[in-house]
């Protein structure tokens, strides 16, 4: 039996989605029974990240028969992490779970997450993908490389194969909300907070419908955001590359002087050419790394909100604008402070 609407919410489930009209019927068919079976008051916060298909219309239709469903529409496509941020900021439950709409992460595991968090008084429960056989070989290898690199850069507190399928207590959610308003990578940020945590393991399923919203370009962008947002190690790598190139230059200098003294300057053309290419490549790499960090600083000092809300089914139509205005006032206050 579904929990009574209007009672205090125990569990919020945030579902960021973008162009998921094909996956929505299957999502509702699995998510609603899974949450009803838990037997606690819940809400589903579906965040439409500026979809260009019928996602918004389908969500409206689902709300007619699913009172626990709350829809939040962003003004445009801000990205997966921004949509997740919007959902976390607007969820009201004592516990907040996040899950993608593609059903690669099983919604039935949310009950196990909640039970584990309550039993062991945990603030974070991660969904761990112990079986990724449904992913392509390329996806598995790149994901393995990503988590290996992130653990090396950020520390061993990062659970391997933990994506954005997790459950947070209200204390952890409030800690996330208190952070500066900028683009976050939650799979790195949440472990960094250091709250007591546990794990629920599962086999990753195939995407139920539609196409992946994380092509190679977005995967590379996520990796760059992860590295530059949580570690200064690349800057030290640039320093080491500079030192190595300096040593190589000294070697080439000694070689060229020796060749000149023995009258063999023409044969040294190859090594000189290779040396110039090497130094140029190192300089470009270092400039690129510096550019990534400067770009993040530039974005941070602009104090732009991560997202703007267009609609929220939990509020009257004319009340979404004051929320946006409040965000703008906060931005103006930050700029005034300096």
């Amino acid at each position: 039996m579904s929990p009574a609407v209007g009672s205090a919410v125990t569990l919020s489930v945030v579902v960021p989605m973008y162009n998921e009209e094909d996956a929505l019927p299957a999502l509702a068919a699995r998510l609603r029974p899974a949450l009803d079976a838990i037997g606690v008051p819940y809400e589903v916060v579906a965040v439409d990240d500026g979809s260009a298909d019928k996602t918004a219309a389908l969500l409206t239709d689902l709300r007619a028969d699913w009172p626990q469903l709350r829809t939040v529409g962003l003004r445009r496509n801000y990205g997966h992490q921004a949509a997740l941020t919007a959902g976390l900021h607007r969820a009201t439950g004592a516990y907040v779970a996040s899950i993608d709409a593609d059903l690669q992460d099983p919604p039935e595991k949310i009950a196990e997450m909640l039970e584990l968090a309550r039993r062991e008084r945990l603030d974070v429960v991660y969904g761990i993908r112990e079986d990724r056989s449904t992913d392509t070989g390329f996806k598995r290898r790149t994901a393995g490389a990503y988590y290996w690199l992130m653990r090396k850069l950020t520390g061993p507190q990062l659970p391997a194969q933990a994506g954005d399928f997790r459950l947070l207590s209200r204390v952890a959610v409030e800690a996330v909300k208190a952070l500066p308003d900028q683009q976050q990578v939650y799979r790195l940020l949440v472990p960094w907070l250091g709250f007591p945590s546990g794990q629920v393991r599962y086999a990753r399923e195939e995407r139920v419908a539609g196409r992946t919203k994380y092509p190679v370009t977005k995967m590379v962008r996520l990796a760059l955001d992860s590295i530059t947002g949580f570690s200064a190690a690349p800057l030290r790598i640039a320093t080491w590359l500079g030192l190595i190139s300096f040593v190589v230059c000294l070697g080439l200098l000694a070689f060229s002087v020796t060749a000149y003294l023995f009258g063999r300057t023409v044969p040294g053309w190859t090594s000189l050419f290779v040396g110039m290419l090497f130094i140029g490549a190192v300089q470009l790499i270092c400039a690129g790394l510096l550019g990534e960090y400067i770009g993040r600083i530039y974005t941070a000092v602009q104090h732009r909100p991560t997202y703007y809300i267009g609609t929220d089914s939990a509020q009257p139509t004319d009340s979404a604008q004051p929320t946006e205005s409040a965000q703008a006032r906060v931005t103006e206050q930050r700029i005034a402070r300096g």
Side-chain angles (χ1 to χ4, degrees):
M1 185 177 210
S2 300
V5 180
S7 57
V9 176
T10 301
L11 175 65
S12 295
V13 179
V14 175
V15 190
M17 53 185 65
Y18 175 65
N19 290 346
E20 296 288 3
E21 64 175 351
D22 295 330
L24 262 178
L27 173 68
R30 283 185 61 181
L31 182 59
R32 184 174 185 179
L35 297 180
D36 288 344
I38 298 176
V40 299
Y42 73 87
E43 66 173 355
V44 176
V45 184
V47 182
D48 178 19
D49 188 22
S51 296
D53 61 1
K54 298 179 181 178
T55 296
L58 290 177
L59 286 172
T60 301
D61 293 341
L62 286 173
R63 283 192 61 249
D65 186 49
W66 192 1
Q68 291 86 3
L69 177 62
R70 174 184 179 184
T71 59
V72 176
L74 304 187
R75 290 194 175 276
R76 64 171 178 83
N77 178 236
Y78 292 93
H80 180 267
Q81 296 297 299
L84 184 55
T85 299
L88 290 175
H89 283 200
R90 292 189 165 243
T92 62
Y95 292 90
V96 181
S98 57
I99 187 172
D100 290 338
D102 55 16
L103 289 178
Q104 288 191 283
D105 305 320
E108 294 79 11
K109 285 291 180 178
I110 295 177
E112 187 177 342
M113 288 177 164
L114 180 61
E115 193 276 331
L116 178 62
R118 284 174 148 182
R119 185 180 71 246
E120 300 189 10
R121 297 185 178 181
L122 302 175
D123 289 305
V124 183
V125 178
Y126 300 103
I128 304 296
R129 308 155 179 168
E130 64 177 358
D131 182 358
R132 303 191 65 157
S133 57
T134 57
D135 290 336
T136 63
F138 174 78
K139 179 73 173 180
R140 290 196 299 271
R141 286 190 290 271
T142 53
Y146 171 83
Y147 286 105
W148 176 85
L149 179 59
M150 291 303 104
R151 286 169 68 90
K152 290 292 184 182
L153 293 177
T154 64
Q157 72 273 5
L158 174 65
Q161 301 300 330
D164 288 315
F165 183 37
R166 70 177 70 85
L167 181 132
L168 304 175
S169 69
R170 174 50 51 183
V171 173
V173 172
E174 292 302 321
V176 168
K177 291 170 63 176
L179 294 171
D181 188 16
Q182 56 185 321
Q183 189 72 281
Q184 306 288 3
V185 181
Y186 288 103
R187 64 188 65 190
L188 302 182
L189 177 63
V190 173
W192 177 84
L193 293 173
F195 286 104
S197 63
Q199 298 180 355
V200 168
R201 298 182 175 274
Y202 64 96
R204 188 168 171 83
E205 303 176 18
E206 293 184 357
R207 185 177 232 283
V208 66
R211 296 185 299 176
T212 179
K213 304 307 183 293
Y214 260 95
V216 175
T217 53
K218 288 190 176 182
M219 289 169 58
V220 172
R221 184 70 258 173
L222 175 65
L224 288 174
D225 286 342
S226 300
I227 294 170
T228 56
F230 286 85
S231 176
L235 292 177
R236 290 188 284 272
I237 292 174
T239 302
W240 280 105
L241 286 173
L243 291 174
I244 292 171
S245 64
F246 177 72
V247 173
V248 172
C249 287
L250 288 179
L252 289 174
L253 177 61
F255 174 78
S256 61
V257 171
T258 302
Y260 174 77
L261 292 176
F262 285 90
R264 295 184 298 178
T265 53
V266 175
W269 177 87
T270 302
S271 59
L272 181 61
F273 181 69
V274 172
M276 291 177 62
L277 290 178
F278 175 75
I279 294 172
V282 168
Q283 289 176 335
L284 289 174
I285 292 173
C286 294
L289 291 173
L290 290 172
E292 286 291 330
Y293 282 94
I294 292 172
R296 294 187 69 88
I297 295 172
Y298 172 73
T299 301
V301 300
Q302 287 179 316
H303 298 295
R304 292 177 181 172
T306 305
Y307 61 88
Y308 274 107
I309 298 295
T311 59
D312 187 341
S313 63
Q315 300 175 344
T317 304
D318 58 355
S319 66
Q321 184 62 33
T323 301
E324 182 175 340
S325 299
Q327 289 178 327
R329 285 196 298 272
V330 170
T331 302
E332 292 172 357
Q333 291 170 2
R334 288 176 177 173
I335 294 174
R337 288 197 301 266

